[in-house]
Amino acid sequence: MSFGSRARAAMSAYGPACVGIDPHASLLEEWGLPDDVEGLDRFASICVEAFAGHVGFVKPQSAFFERFGARGVVVLERTIQDLRHTGSLVVLDVKRGDIGSTAAAYADAYLDDDAPMAADAITVSPYLGFGSLQPFFDVADKNDAGVFVLALTSNPEGPEVQHARNGDVTVAGGILAQLAALNADAQPMGAFGAVVGATIGEAAEDLAINGPLLVPGFGAQGGTVDDIRRLFGAVIDNVIPSTSRGVLSAGPDVGALRDSVARVNAQLVGS
């Protein structure tokens, strides 16, 4: 099945929520865990137990594993492998972006199904030019994986690049239009999605890309169900709202974590 088909099935089976696995030092402390690789390993294991096969999408943030060096990357690799093929789709948040053979190597590392750290989808940055992402799209297509391209991010610095105009369209609008072209005629939706923050306020750009829309900033970061309804309107069925601290603050109890996700999904489905 294509990533678009698998994403639609996951949303139908579990709800649209994506839970981030973001082992901040402060969150490890909240869970009573040491800020070291042993604490990281325990944190990740609890998240796998809580979310695997219970949540449609899980999004490990690579940076919070990488900060522990090689041993942290080992924990990330094992976390991805433990989550995959349980019904949950792994969106690895790595925001990679490069050119030529380097981009191809990143694509092979994260999207080739035979790679040790292969995920169902990854996040990428298009700001070396949209065409620089072609190796990611090619490897994803070959392996029925997905790619989420940063388009309208919620960080305050984003608009200086994303809202800049390239002729008659904004930079973000051009990215979204090219994603729509890649996803044209895909059923039930394409494999190439966009990252659009829940806290951006307004979006003048056309979000109808016939692909999944990964929406960070929902929950503890301030984004609400009303924001999602207002921003995404007719394409709300393609929205995958992402929340981290809002769910993870219920840990380390596995049952409480699952209940927290269930409440989030109930909110979203009710929207």
Side-chain angles (χ1 to χ4, degrees), residues 200-224:
I200 60 172
E202 302 292 338
E205 292 78 9
D206 185 358
L207 302 177
I209 63 168
N210 191 33
L213 297 161
L214 182 64
V215 181
F218 177 74
Q221 290 179 272
T224 67

Side-chain angles (χ1 to χ4, degrees), residues 144-167:
D144 290 327
V147 178
F148 287 95
V149 181
L150 302 181
L152 288 163
T153 60
S154 54
N155 61 303
E157 304 86 0
E160 68 183 75
V161 173
Q162 296 159 16
H163 292 178
R165 302 198 75 82
N166 182 13

Side-chain angles (χ1 to χ4, degrees), residues 51-218:
F51 304 137
H54 295 272
V55 179
F57 305 88
V58 185
K59 183 170 70 66
Q61 170 48 260
S62 182
F64 292 114
F65 293 80
E66 292 176 35
R67 72 189 184 98
F68 293 104
R71 294 177 66 198
V73 174
V74 168
V75 174
L76 176 60
E77 182 179 309
R78 185 169 63 248
T79 300
I80 294 168
Q81 292 175 354
D82 289 347
L83 285 165
R84 292 197 72 200
H85 312 301
T86 64
S88 299
L89 300 183
V90 178
V91 179
L92 181 58
D93 199 351
V94 287
K95 297 182 178 73
R96 296 295 189 248
D98 217 308
I99 58 174
S101 59
T102 311
Y106 279 134
D108 287 341
Y110 300 119
L111 296 172
D112 188 310
D113 210 40
D114 292 327
M117 208 148 31
D120 295 290
I122 63 170
T123 58
V124 299
S125 173
Y127 296 111
L128 288 173
F130 192 85
S132 69
L133 300 178
Q134 193 60 49
F136 294 100
F137 299 140
D138 289 343
V139 177
D141 190 55
K142 181 180 177 181
N143 290 275
D144 290 327
V147 178
F148 287 95
V149 181
L150 302 181
L152 288 163
T153 60
S154 54
N155 61 303
E157 304 86 0
E160 68 183 75
V161 173
Q162 296 159 16
H163 292 178
R165 302 198 75 82
N166 182 13
D168 294 332
V169 298
T170 63
V171 170
I175 290 165
L176 291 162
Q178 290 178 87
L179 285 169
L182 288 177
N183 289 326
D185 302 322
Q187 295 293 334
M189 63 178 169
F192 305 126
V195 178
V196 179
T199 57
I200 60 172
E202 302 292 338
E205 292 78 9
D206 185 358
L207 302 177
I209 63 168
N210 191 33
L213 297 161
L214 182 64
V215 181
F218 177 74

Side-chain angles (χ1 to χ4, degrees), residues 1-11 84 89 120 143-146:
M1 294 175 67
S2 69
F3 177 76
S5 296
R6 291 189 290 133
R8 180 65 74 207
M11 294 166 80
R84 292 197 72 200
L89 300 183
D120 295 290
N143 290 275
D144 290 327

